[in-house]
Amino acid sequence: MKTFTLNDGNLLPAFGLGTWKSQPGEVNDAVKEALRIGYTHIDCAWIYLNEDEVGSGLQAALAEALIQREDLFVTSKLWNTFHDPADVEQGCRQTLTALGLEYLDLYLMHWPVAFRDDGNLMPEDESGFIPLSELPLSKTFAAMATLKEKGLVKSIGVSNFSVSKLEKLIAECGIVPAVNQVELHPYNPQPELMAYCADKGIVLTAYSPLGSADRPDSMKGADEPPLLNNQVVLATAEQEGLTPGQLLIAWALTRGTSVIPKSVNAGRIAENLAAADHELSIAARQVLDEIELRYRYVSPSGWFIPGVTYEGQDFWA
Ligand SMILES: NC(=O)c1ccc[n+]([C@@H]2O[C@H](COP(=O)([O-])OP(=O)(O)OC[C@H]3O[C@@H](n4cnc5c(N)ncnc54)[C@H](OP(=O)(O)O)[C@@H]3O)[C@@H](O)[C@H]2O)c1
């Protein structure tokens, strides 16, 4: 399995299993099956509300020696209600307890947005957000760095950070995140962010690489373009002897990003892993690079309040 060396010297397996939307009753088996067939990297988050069952899958695999802890790479993410430096360790410890682990390999700040810890997982109105002026992201990230010192996490990074947010974070706390996990696929290739992260030594992880078709309808735009049905993707996959999903995974890896497709289906879990070793032809990569349609599947626009949750005109800039 290809790995990336992070800027702190730790190794990140390039390919992993996503677990967002993986339901209780199915994610235990999915995680265990993935580890049985050779996955080494599992992507989790507190807000997926399934970390206890992901944990039971991890524990079953470890107990049956399908994998050893030192060969396993587990990522999780600090939820937006834990941004206060006084709450960061509690958020991390809740995840560790649910997963049944003593440490995380990678801990990410899930969003560059802070919520008040008022009993709601998502704000009901503007008063549920903590303005950046009150609680800068750099304070949260500095608190995450102390988790490393305590041995609770091996590496720290961020998620959903744009170039300007990364620049500000690094300038304010002097810590370069090891990873930035963002939405990347042919409809949202983000070349400027890729160039910036390459320059800073930040590894990008591609989320929603297959177009996240199982998102709830409430998160979907009207007339959303399904990535897996794109005619160029379908034709190129056939030429390469791959399924469309495999093509998109191979494309992500060929671009030098890590990639974490989600599946709870044993056949697709194996299908996706088989793509991790595929050398994509230059021609196939180019054809996907040239897709012009732009679409972002994950963009909770209700959270983007200029002057509160970000400073500029565009949350993603
Ligand atoms: N940091 C963040 O803010 C953030 C945001 C979004 C996602 N993520 C992470 O990234 C992971 C992946 O993104 P995602 O879950 O949004 O979407 P995704 O991986 O792009 O797509 C998942 C969907 O594709 C299906 N699928 C899986 N393999 C397939 C294949 N080979 N062919 C056809 N369909 C296939 C899955 O169904 P089955 O399960 O039935 O196979 C599911 O419906 C998440 O699970 C999560 O871990 C992080």
Side-chain angles (χ1 to χ4, degrees):
M1 178 67 68
K2 184 181 168 196
T3 55
F4 291 102
T5 303
L6 302 177
N7 59 19
D8 57 13
N10 292 326
L11 297 181
L12 169 76
F15 175 82
L17 180 75
T19 61
W20 177 36
K21 310 171 264 66
S22 298
Q23 298 301 315
E26 56 185 20
V27 69
N28 172 81
D29 291 351
V31 167
K32 192 175 162 198
E33 173 63 7
L35 296 175
R36 188 185 71 77
I37 66 169
Y39 282 61
T40 57
H41 170 183
I42 308 289
D43 183 77
C44 317
W46 187 96
I47 195 59
Y48 300 163
L49 305 178
N50 61 5
E51 284 191 321
D52 50 349
E53 192 168 328
V54 171
S56 61
L58 291 176
Q59 295 311 319
L62 290 166
E64 291 178 34
L66 302 178
I67 190 164
Q68 303 301 316
R69 177 64 185 97
E70 57 272 24
D71 299 323
L72 176 64
F73 192 101
V74 180
T75 301
S76 188
K77 311 182 193 93
L78 180 83
W79 185 236
N80 307 346
T81 50
F82 294 102
H83 271 223
D84 188 317
D87 297 336
V88 165
E89 183 170 334
Q90 190 201 349
C92 178
R93 284 194 183 276
Q94 286 184 13
T95 280
L96 287 170
T97 301
L99 294 173
L101 298 176
E102 288 179 0
Y103 66 89
L104 294 170
D105 296 277
L106 176 62
Y107 199 40
L108 305 177
M109 191 190 310
H110 203 149
W111 284 90
V113 172
F115 295 169
R116 291 199 191 282
D117 186 12
D118 58 6
N120 296 313
L121 294 180
M122 306 283 171
E124 290 182 336
D125 54 41
E126 197 171 316
S127 68
F129 294 89
I130 307 178
L132 283 178
S133 54
E134 195 180 313
L135 178 49
L137 300 167
S138 54
K139 297 267 189 239
T140 304
F141 202 54
M144 290 174 67
T146 68
L147 302 177
K148 266 181 88 162
E149 291 156 20
K150 291 179 180 166
L152 299 177
V153 308
K154 299 273 187 207
S155 298
I156 56 168
V158 296
S159 177
N160 295 299
F161 270 57
S162 60
V163 170
S164 66
K165 288 183 178 60
L166 286 168
E167 276 175 340
K168 191 167 160 56
L169 182 79
I170 295 166
E172 285 181 3
C173 70
I175 310 167
V176 181
V179 168
N180 185 21
Q181 185 182 121
V182 297
E183 180 173 337
L184 289 169
H185 46 67
Y187 292 165
N188 194 35
Q190 307 207 58
E192 296 82 10
L193 181 63
M194 286 197 58
Y196 177 85
C197 288
D199 185 52
K200 292 288 172 196
I202 302 169
V203 172
L204 279 166
T205 295
Y207 78 59
S208 303
L210 311 178
S212 198
D214 59 344
R215 277 148 47 253
D217 287 343
S218 58
M219 287 186 65
K220 292 187 177 173
D223 303 325
E224 186 168 286
L227 182 59
L228 284 165
N229 290 351
N230 177 285
Q231 287 307 315
V232 174
V233 171
L234 292 172
T236 312
E238 197 176 339
Q239 279 161 19
E240 289 283 306
L242 299 172
T243 67
Q246 287 178 320
L247 176 71
L248 292 165
I249 292 163
W251 179 81
L253 292 169
T254 304
R255 297 177 87 215
T257 66
S258 67
V259 63
I260 46 170
K262 172 263 176 187
S263 181
V264 289
N265 174 283
R268 287 188 286 277
I269 288 172
E271 177 184 321
N272 295 345
L273 177 64
D277 285 333
H278 184 85
E279 270 306 318
L280 198 62
S281 71
I282 294 170
R285 171 168 176 188
Q286 221 163 4
V287 171
L288 263 65
D289 286 348
E290 285 167 5
I291 290 177
E292 286 179 358
L293 184 62
R294 291 290 167 263
Y295 195 80
R296 197 184 272 279
Y297 291 102
V298 179
S299 193
S301 54
W303 297 359
F304 306 159
I305 308 169
V308 178
T309 58
Y310 66 99
E311 285 158 354
Q313 293 305 303
D314 179 0
F315 182 83
W316 296 112

